[in-house]
Amino acid sequence: MGQLADIIVVGAGVMGASIAHALAERQFGQVVVVEQTALAAAATGQSSGVLRCHYGIPVLAKMANQGLSWFKHAKAQYGVDVGYRGIGYLVGAGPDDEEAFRSNIAMQQALNIRTNLMLPHEAKELWPDMEVSDFAIMAYEPEGGVADPTLTATAFYEMGKQLGVRYQFGQPVTQLLTQGDRVIGVEMADGSRWMANVVIVAAGTNTPGLFDPLGIEVPIRAQRAQLMLINPGVNVGKRPVFSDLVQLQYGRSEVNGTLLIGNSDHRDPEWVSKGPCPQGVTDDFVQRAIERLMHRFPRWEGAQFLGGYSGCYEVTPDYNPIIGPSPNSGLYIAAGFSGHGFKLSPVIGPMMAEILNAGNRYPSLESYVFRLSRFEEHDLLKSQYAYGKAGQMR
């Protein structure tokens, strides 16, 4: 028959670990997390770890703000180090996006998010080397910044273990076990089984493959994201994260003074249809990234390329997550976070607990908007004030 649990969580990234901890904290019974490789081994370990609340969809902005509060207070409240550095978050837009940008900032401020508009020349106090002439408007979140995704997953893991959560590593789930239209457990690659009344799939890009045999379409694709590390030649260790909505590039300073650079241009995505996410970075990516960087920081003539890596976003058609029940009783999903997941992870665990308490209903509008059925209903989550180039990603 197999081993017994009350709840099985498939996937031990930061999302699965957050969900497991939240359920154990609320005494949902025996929670077991099954993971094919290791803790935070896939997308979590490759995340840039940026914390910001600049979203055009109010519920996402609100959740990001709640997540930010957790990161800020994790050490004091839980006694865990998640690597939070409140270095701030600076974002700038060009003339074509100024009206939408101002509307988004007003919406965020109405949600009590600490963000303030800035004129481009004022931002030079935060980034003295930055060329700002093509920005029309900017904003600064003083409490934004970065945290460490692996440390965060480890914190949820350790706190969950203390509350009785069990983890099984090294075996992938090969199928979801059903009885009629109800899911009753999972089968592992070695033929062993875990039986439970509730299964939550938080398996990132592997999620659709588990739902396909049940006839449930989960529209998640793997999109490659490349990042590079540079030595700018000047110490930028305490400079805020910057998001350049003109050139669609972002950067986060490291403690050692180097800079991690990522791409915000998703107009021509590189889809990964089979196999693991590609490693390393391409010459084309590095060339484009350096050109954009040198436009933004023209005085960095001595900057050095130090290397790079790739990860894969788990992307839905509207670049927003799927959270909640599936058509099969007892089966839930928390996947498709499209690059937003890390900063939202402290909020997703409690949200999933509320959903489980409500059965197959959604307890609030905030969770309802992330339902799987929205894609069939053509009711995609969209920003009221989208940006021309960055579109719905922001």
Side-chain angles (χ1 to χ4, degrees):
M1 172 143 181
Q3 301 183 76
L4 299 179
D6 292 297
I7 298 175
I8 297 166
V9 179
V10 182
V14 70
M15 208 59 65
S18 169
I19 291 169
H21 168 252
L23 297 180
E25 195 174 40
R26 291 157 178 77
Q27 300 181 340
F28 271 78
Q30 179 62 66
V31 180
V32 174
V33 181
V34 290
E35 164 59 46
Q36 63 179 346
T37 53
L39 183 72
T44 296
Q46 297 154 346
S47 169
S48 60
V50 171
L51 302 176
R52 48 100 175 178
C53 304
H54 190 85
Y55 284 101
I57 297 174
V59 66
L60 279 181
K62 180 179 179 180
M63 291 168 65
N65 196 38
Q66 292 169 340
L68 177 60
S69 178
W70 185 93
F71 283 105
K72 284 171 49 187
H73 300 110
K75 199 161 191 176
Q77 185 171 350
Y78 290 101
V80 294
D81 179 13
V82 295
Y84 169 70
R85 290 192 294 133
I87 56 177
Y89 174 83
L90 178 68
V91 55
D96 291 344
D97 289 324
E98 181 175 1
E99 183 178 352
F101 190 93
R102 289 180 178 275
S103 296
N104 281 327
I105 295 299
M107 175 270 291
Q108 293 157 22
Q109 290 174 333
L111 294 171
N112 296 318
I113 293 170
R114 286 193 63 194
T115 182
N116 299 297
L117 287 171
M118 276 186 160
L119 294 176
H121 73 271
E122 295 174 317
K124 301 259 312 168
E125 296 182 13
L126 299 170
W127 272 101
D129 294 339
M130 181 179 285
E131 169 57 51
V132 298
S133 61
D134 52 350
F135 288 125
I137 191 67
M138 304 186 81
Y140 180 59
E141 299 176 23
E143 295 178 337
V146 298
D148 188 304
T150 301
L151 283 179
T152 303
T154 302
F156 285 128
Y157 167 81
E158 295 290 353
M159 292 189 296
K161 292 271 284 184
Q162 291 172 11
L163 295 171
V165 176
R166 295 178 61 184
Y167 279 81
Q168 177 179 307
F169 296 106
Q171 284 287 336
V173 172
T174 54
Q175 67 171 321
L176 302 172
L177 303 174
T178 60
Q179 190 174 72
D181 64 354
R182 180 172 186 82
V183 169
I184 58 172
V186 299
E187 183 169 289
M188 314 302 291
D190 64 358
S192 63
R193 294 182 169 188
W194 279 99
M195 314 303 292
N197 289 326
V198 173
V199 175
I200 303 169
V201 180
T205 57
N206 293 320
T207 299
L210 294 174
F211 282 77
D212 284 344
L214 305 182
I216 301 173
E217 181 182 359
V218 177
I220 292 175
R221 302 172 71 183
Q223 179 185 329
R224 185 182 186 184
Q226 302 185 62
L227 299 99
M228 73 175 188
L229 191 68
I230 69 158
N231 177 1
V234 295
N235 193 323
V236 297
K238 295 184 179 180
R239 299 298 179 194
V241 176
F242 72 85
S243 179
D244 180 346
L245 298 181
V246 174
Q247 297 197 110
L248 302 182
Q249 187 174 69
Y250 68 90
R252 57 160 281 182
S253 59
E254 305 294 325
V255 175
N256 64 2
T258 58
L259 192 69
L260 185 69
I261 298 294
N263 173 41
S264 301
D265 190 347
H266 301 276
R267 292 172 295 178
D268 185 21
E270 180 183 348
W271 301 113
V272 179
S273 57
K274 293 182 180 179
C277 193
Q279 301 300 300
V281 289
T282 64
D283 291 342
D284 286 345
F285 165 77
V286 173
Q287 181 178 347
R288 290 196 305 271
I290 290 176
E291 289 173 354
R292 292 172 178 176
L293 189 70
M294 294 311 297
H295 167 79
R296 189 58 62 212
F297 298 96
R299 287 192 278 176
W300 289 359
E301 294 179 354
Q304 296 176 311
F305 171 68
L306 300 178
Y309 68 93
S310 291
C312 273
Y313 292 130
E314 41 174 315
V315 171
T316 64
D318 61 7
Y319 278 85
N320 287 297
I322 305 167
I323 307 168
S326 78
N328 284 45
S329 180
L331 179 60
Y332 296 79
I333 183 171
F337 284 88
S338 306
H340 314 311
F342 170 64
K343 63 184 69 65
L344 303 180
S345 60
V347 181
I348 302 304
M351 176 180 283
M352 184 58 71
E354 291 179 0
I355 291 172
L356 291 185
N357 270 330
N360 282 327
R361 298 180 298 104
Y362 281 92
S364 68
L365 178 62
E366 288 183 5
S367 55
Y368 175 75
V369 298
F370 299 116
R371 68 197 183 282
L372 173 61
S373 63
R374 74 180 186 270
F375 302 106
E376 287 187 357
E377 298 161 0
H378 304 290
D379 187 22
L380 303 187
L381 265 176
K382 294 184 179 180
S383 171
Q384 184 177 354
Y385 308 108
Y387 300 135
K389 293 180 180 178
Q392 295 299 325
M393 243 336 244
R394 285 291 184 268

